[in-house]
Amino acid sequence: MSFANTYRKKWLEVAFGVFLGGVGILLMMNTVSFSNGIIFDTRSILISVTGLFLGYLPTIMATLIISLYRIYLGGGGALTGVLVTVTSALIGLCWYRYRLKKIRQKPKKVWPELYLFGVIVHLAMLACMLTLPNQQGFDVLQVITLPVLIIYPLGTLLLCLVMLQAFKNREAEKNLRESRESYKHLYYEYQKKESLLRSLLDSLPDLVFYKDKAGVYLGCNKAFEGFAGKPKDELVGLTDFDLFDEKMATLFRDMDQLMMKEKKSRRNEEFVTYPDGQEVILETLKTPYYDHNAQILGLIGVSRDITERKKTEAEMLFLSQHDALTGLHNRGYYEKERQRLDHHDYLPLSLIIGDINGLKLINDAFGHGAGDKLLISIARILASCAREKDVLVRTGGDEFVMLLPQTSYRETGALVEKIG
């Protein structure tokens, strides 16, 4: 955001804060009055909701104006009135700082939290009544406590719901406007540069396709033709059920409908089989596209073969947890498993530690190749003796450890004899 836009936004916030301060003064002109200048109004609702939804600058301005007006009115309750205003603002700003984002993200059932917010604001307001002079606070509390705790939280809740709906409406309009402009531009650019786009799409190794709302194919690139086993001219007008087996077609269609329902891009992984029998893993991104009236016309899909990437990730994960020579788990894996098994569900937990006598002598006499063969042989022996639930680890050069969950001392001894 440019400096000019930031400056303008700040001045708008100040102006809105002044406006809200004026509204607060109007509310204070319609009050319930007690003796000695004590007045009772609904500004706590206004200022707390302002803090919650509009943030710091408008709230500070409104709080300052309302407080100055209350001081101007005078009376024994002036200090209390200022405290009520400031306290309501602070509670609203705390909610703005820590909870507003989560409240706006909640699709449903936000009203309990907003009602609780109103209760807390007005409990604080009632507490401020104790600052009234000459023990008047207790007299006032006897009169206002019940109506305040019944009516004011409800009023706060209603105003919060109105503000929340206004935020959602504005955000929805913004998203719709951005989406309309984006896809309108994409549509017209496609019409102007269809030939260039066709060449570009056909040069891509990824599978590119597009369908209408009913799941009927409207076009694709060369790579997708190879995947579907049909040229584009024959493919257009068909559905997934015309091209693939029922299981695969159902999967594709379910993903399409979910994306249409959500009206936003979705990324998913799919195990598929090419016409030649090759099995691959595809990562597919599906995105809706719209007409100039923001109506969904269909979807654009891009699928990438990530089979090799998945294999590489699996190999990297294996190597991060296993010893490269013996194939047993390594020390890093051992440390994690030791912490996991340190739980009463796995008791008794036994431990076998062993090393190879004379490994250095074998390495020196016959070479490290012979030592490696010995390590591999020992690892195979240990693996053949270990149970499925046991954790077998090579922790060092010639050191091995077996973690034995739910294994008694006697069972461990029998396993040691078996290894020996």
Side-chain angles (χ1 to χ4, degrees):
M1 185 180 293
S2 66
F3 174 77
N5 288 337
T6 302
Y7 186 76
R8 181 173 176 271
K9 181 181 177 182
K10 293 299 182 184
W11 271 110
L12 286 174
E13 290 180 354
V14 170
F16 198 51
V18 173
F19 169 74
L20 291 173
V23 174
I25 291 174
L26 291 176
L27 291 176
M28 294 171 68
M29 293 179 178
N30 297 275
T31 62
V32 177
S33 298
F34 293 87
S35 59
N36 298 325
I38 299 170
I39 60 176
F40 182 58
D41 54 60
T42 58
R43 68 184 180 274
S44 58
I45 297 177
L46 173 69
I47 203 68
S48 62
V49 174
T50 298
L52 170 56
F53 286 98
L54 301 181
Y56 299 102
L57 197 52
T59 306
I60 292 171
M61 293 301 302
T63 301
L64 181 62
I65 291 171
I66 292 172
S67 298
L68 290 174
Y69 181 71
R70 185 62 189 90
I71 293 171
Y72 168 76
L73 293 178
L79 174 61
T80 302
V82 172
L83 286 176
V84 168
T85 304
V86 173
T87 303
S88 301
L90 289 175
I91 295 174
L93 290 174
C94 286
W95 239 268
Y96 171 81
R97 173 65 175 82
Y98 296 105
R99 293 297 304 167
L100 178 60
K101 184 176 180 180
K102 293 182 179 179
I103 289 173
R104 292 176 62 179
Q105 290 174 345
K106 283 185 181 179
K108 308 177 181 178
K109 296 183 179 178
V110 297
W111 69 265
E113 179 174 351
L114 296 177
Y115 181 79
L116 176 63
F117 169 71
V119 171
I120 292 174
V121 168
H122 292 96
L123 283 174
M125 184 188 80
L126 292 174
C128 291
M129 296 299 110
L130 297 175
T131 62
L132 289 170
N134 302 322
Q135 301 298 314
Q136 288 178 316
F138 294 101
D139 297 334
V140 171
L141 286 175
Q142 289 179 356
V143 175
I144 71 171
T145 297
L146 188 59
V148 163
L149 292 182
I150 293 176
I151 298 173
Y152 276 43
L154 290 175
T156 304
L157 171 62
L158 291 175
L159 186 55
C160 284
L161 291 177
V162 170
M163 292 292 293
L164 187 60
Q165 189 59 48
F167 270 94
K168 288 182 177 179
N169 290 343
R170 191 174 75 174
E171 193 170 308
E173 290 174 2
K174 178 183 176 183
N175 292 338
L176 184 60
R177 184 170 58 252
E178 291 176 352
S179 178
R180 182 189 298 118
E181 292 301 319
S182 174
Y183 284 104
K184 179 195 286 187
H185 177 73
L186 176 63
Y187 177 77
Y188 287 128
E189 283 298 312
Y190 175 77
Q191 293 297 318
K192 293 183 209 177
K193 303 178 181 179
E194 184 176 3
S195 177
L196 176 61
L197 182 59
R198 168 55 51 192
S199 299
L200 175 62
L201 291 178
D202 286 342
S203 69
L204 295 175
D206 296 338
L207 314 181
V208 181
F209 56 91
Y210 43 103
K211 311 176 186 178
D212 65 14
K213 291 192 296 184
V216 176
Y217 282 94
L218 302 177
C220 65
N221 68 346
K222 287 288 185 183
F224 191 84
E225 290 179 359
F227 169 64
K230 288 182 180 294
K232 176 187 172 185
D233 293 341
E234 296 181 19
L235 187 144
V236 172
L238 301 180
T239 69
D240 289 316
F241 291 95
D242 299 317
L243 297 170
F244 309 107
D245 62 58
E246 185 174 356
K247 181 179 179 181
M248 190 182 301
T250 301
L251 172 64
F252 292 163
R253 187 57 182 156
D254 288 345
M255 293 299 102
D256 292 351
Q257 291 175 339
L258 186 57
M259 185 276 304
M260 294 285 189
K261 182 179 179 181
E262 295 180 354
K263 297 183 179 180
K264 63 181 182 181
S265 300
R266 280 189 59 83
R267 190 184 301 272
N268 56 276
E269 295 179 4
E270 303 156 337
F271 291 86
V272 301
T273 303
Y274 274 73
D276 61 3
Q278 180 187 7
E279 295 183 348
V280 301
I281 305 173
L282 294 180
E283 181 182 62
T284 300
L285 173 66
K286 293 181 178 179
T287 303
Y289 67 91
Y290 303 81
D291 63 13
H292 60 280
N293 292 319
Q295 299 299 313
I296 291 182
L297 294 176
L299 66 89
I300 300 171
V302 180
S303 298
R304 174 168 295 177
D305 185 347
I306 58 170
T307 308
E308 290 304 317
R309 191 186 83 188
K310 285 292 184 180
K311 288 181 181 178
T312 302
E313 289 175 356
E315 291 173 359
M316 292 177 63
L317 177 62
F318 181 86
L319 291 175
S320 70
Q321 297 180 344
H322 291 77
D323 172 48
L325 176 64
T326 63
L328 301 182
H329 289 295
N330 58 21
R331 177 178 288 276
Y333 183 83
Y334 165 75
E335 294 297 337
K336 293 179 181 178
E337 287 297 287
R338 185 173 61 83
Q339 295 179 9
R340 180 180 69 84
L341 294 174
D342 188 12
H343 189 273
H344 61 80
D345 289 343
Y346 302 103
L347 297 179
L349 178 62
S350 298
L351 186 70
I352 298 176
I353 302 175
D355 60 12
I356 301 175
N357 294 329
L359 178 62
K360 184 177 185 305
L361 182 61
I362 292 173
N363 286 334
D364 292 342
F366 303 102
H368 285 278
D372 290 345
K373 290 181 180 180
L374 177 61
L375 286 169
I376 294 171
S377 298
I378 295 297
R380 289 174 178 170
I381 294 172
L382 293 174
S384 67
C385 296
R387 302 162 302 180
E388 184 176 350
K389 64 181 179 180
D390 298 335
V391 178
L392 178 58
V393 180
R394 181 189 177 194
T395 56
D398 63 347
E399 298 173 352
F400 298 86
V401 172
M402 291 182 70
L403 280 172
L404 310 173
Q406 299 175 331
T407 305
S408 66
Y409 177 80
R410 181 178 298 175
E411 293 173 314
T412 304
L415 184 57
V416 170
E417 290 181 4
K418 180 179 177 181
I419 295 171

